[in-house]
Amino acid sequence: MTEEQIKNFIDTELSYLNLNDKERDRYIKLLIKINNFIKYHRYTIDVFEYVEQKIEELYARFIEEGYSQEESILFTKKAGINLDRKDLTNNLDFLRAINLEKMALTQDVLFFRRRAEEAHAKKAYLVNENKKEDQTITNILRTTDSEFEKKFSVAMKDLKQKYPITEELKQVWKYQASLTDDKLLQELGLIREKLSYIYPTTFEELSVMKMIASMKEEEIKEKYGINRETLLQKHPLNKDTLNALRSIQLANNELIKKIFHKEKESVLQLRTITTDMITIANKNYICLKRGCYTKEELKELLKRKTKGTVQNG
């Protein structure tokens, strides 16, 4: 395959992408790179057929996502230059899940030259810390790791360990990416921007969100003591959180005040509330009533009793 043949292929079969001179040169280099890879591994693949098929798949993807024909052609052209990257589809799924796909492709952000692990870790950290205003394309996709570390006083190494990309996460991204805006409202009851701030990462979270979407406002209020909007702001939004809210809602206000030292309404409003938190708070309350001691305190108490300095009863 000669460079002249590549140029002819681009000018004819890919003419609908409306490539400018700079983009055309990038596609020429891309096809040469793919051809060299195929030759090196001795694959029996026709380069032109392979590239044409992948470009068509990208275009079909964007059309299915609900973009216009003009937008789909533009995004196909932008994303297509990264056809040599095996994680291209996965990265596009991630960008759509965090509601930055359109912006990243329109602005030609060089996201695909970096690892998705870093971007996901940044996004997950910002969601966990409830830093909604910081969940921008700049912080997640444009900043270097060192810039992010300096800005938020964190270590990217630790964040990547805490928030790894699992196979389940990839499937959760894929599911979200497959939904049009209308289908998203139908299944999860949310627009894409709101979903991106919740950023579900497990099937369990998706299941909980689907259940909440199917419930009436009155039912949510009666069962969990808060409205739908407040419930969707809980983090993590999983079954344990629902169980914790249900337990608190069933308890009377005086008991909650004794255990948490807060009004029941205030506890229900907490962004994070888990069954473990209830268990720990309850144990602390019991200890406060009966008297709890550390190992060292028990030794000292026994020593004092032996010396007769502690009164019985």
Side-chain angles (χ1 to χ4, degrees):
M1 184 183 72
T2 65
E3 185 171 331
E4 193 61 36
Q5 289 175 314
I6 292 176
K7 291 179 180 179
N8 182 63
F9 168 76
I10 292 174
D11 292 340
T12 55
E13 302 303 322
L14 301 185
S15 60
Y16 65 94
L17 293 180
N18 300 317
L19 303 173
N20 58 37
D21 290 342
K22 184 177 180 180
E23 292 167 340
R24 183 172 178 270
D25 289 340
R26 292 180 67 185
Y27 267 87
I28 290 172
K29 292 178 181 178
L30 171 68
L31 265 76
I32 291 174
K33 183 178 179 181
I34 293 175
N35 183 60
N36 290 337
F37 178 84
I38 290 174
K39 286 174 61 178
Y40 178 79
H41 291 280
R42 298 181 179 179
Y43 293 145
T44 55
I45 300 174
D46 184 280
V47 177
F48 297 141
E49 289 182 3
Y50 172 81
V51 171
E52 189 171 10
Q53 177 185 340
K54 292 299 179 182
I55 290 293
E56 289 174 356
E57 288 175 359
L58 279 174
Y59 176 74
R61 172 199 174 97
F62 294 124
I63 288 292
E64 289 170 4
E65 288 179 357
Y67 292 114
S68 67
Q69 183 177 9
E70 184 180 358
E71 288 176 319
S72 297
I73 290 174
L74 173 63
F75 299 159
T76 298
K77 174 173 63 175
K78 298 290 187 181
I81 200 63
N82 299 284
L83 282 179
D84 57 322
R85 300 183 181 276
K86 63 180 181 180
D87 55 356
L88 173 59
T89 299
N90 181 65
N91 286 349
L92 287 172
D93 290 343
F94 167 68
L95 289 176
R96 188 159 168 81
I98 63 174
N99 196 38
L100 290 178
E101 180 184 55
K102 183 174 182 178
M103 188 181 299
L105 291 171
T106 302
Q107 298 180 12
D108 205 16
V109 176
L110 300 178
F111 164 71
F112 300 103
R113 294 185 181 181
R114 301 181 182 179
R115 292 168 59 85
E117 285 81 356
E118 283 79 3
H120 159 65
K122 292 171 183 175
K123 173 66 175 181
Y125 164 77
L126 293 172
V127 170
N128 188 63
E129 296 297 313
N130 201 23
K131 296 180 181 292
K132 188 174 180 179
E133 294 182 356
D134 290 314
Q135 295 175 45
T136 62
I137 191 170
T138 297
N139 286 331
I140 298 172
L141 302 182
R142 286 198 175 105
T143 57
T144 63
D145 288 357
S146 59
E147 289 171 340
F148 191 88
E149 289 175 329
K150 183 177 181 181
K151 183 173 183 177
F152 296 102
S153 300
V154 293
M156 283 305 303
K157 180 180 178 181
D158 295 337
L159 293 185
K160 285 189 288 185
Q161 290 180 344
K162 186 175 182 180
Y163 306 111
I165 293 181
T166 63
E167 288 304 314
E168 180 181 18
L169 176 58
K170 292 179 182 179
Q171 291 304 310
V172 170
W173 289 344
K174 184 177 181 179
Y175 166 76
Q176 294 178 69
S178 69
L179 300 177
T180 62
D181 291 345
D182 289 341
K183 192 68 173 177
L184 187 62
L185 271 173
Q186 181 182 335
E187 294 200 12
L188 299 179
L190 294 166
I191 62 174
R192 201 167 300 279
E193 181 183 11
K194 283 195 173 183
L195 177 61
S196 72
Y197 290 129
I198 298 172
Y199 194 49
T201 56
T202 65
F203 292 133
E204 180 184 336
E205 290 172 287
L206 286 176
S207 176
V208 166
M209 293 180 68
K210 286 183 178 181
M211 185 194 73
I212 294 173
S214 69
M215 297 175 69
K216 295 181 179 179
E217 188 71 43
E218 299 78 15
E219 185 182 359
I220 292 174
K221 181 69 176 178
E222 179 182 352
K223 197 168 186 178
Y224 303 114
I226 51 180
N227 59 33
R228 186 188 308 274
E229 184 69 24
T230 304
L231 180 56
L232 288 171
Q233 291 175 12
K234 298 301 180 187
H235 182 77
L237 191 58
N238 55 24
K239 292 178 182 178
D240 184 73
T241 294
L242 296 186
N243 290 335
L245 289 169
R246 182 64 172 158
S247 296
I248 293 171
Q249 172 66 356
L250 290 172
N252 63 62
N253 185 57
E254 289 305 310
L255 177 60
I256 296 300
K257 283 174 65 176
K258 289 177 181 178
I259 294 176
F260 285 94
H261 308 293
K262 291 181 179 180
E263 296 288 341
K264 177 177 175 178
E265 179 63 27
S266 296
V267 176
L268 288 171
Q269 294 295 324
L270 293 174
R271 182 175 185 246
T272 298
I273 179 69
T274 67
T275 54
D276 280 345
M277 288 171 62
I278 297 175
T279 300
I280 292 170
N282 191 48
K283 284 182 178 179
N284 289 338
Y285 168 66
I286 293 172
C287 285
L288 186 63
K289 287 181 63 179
R290 299 179 182 176
C292 279
Y293 305 93
T294 64
K295 187 176 181 180
E296 291 71 21
E297 288 173 335
L298 286 172
K299 285 182 179 180
E300 181 62 27
L301 184 61
L302 181 60
K303 188 185 298 182
R304 289 169 60 195
K305 279 188 176 182
T306 303
K307 293 181 178 179
T309 58
V310 178
Q311 294 182 350
N312 292 325

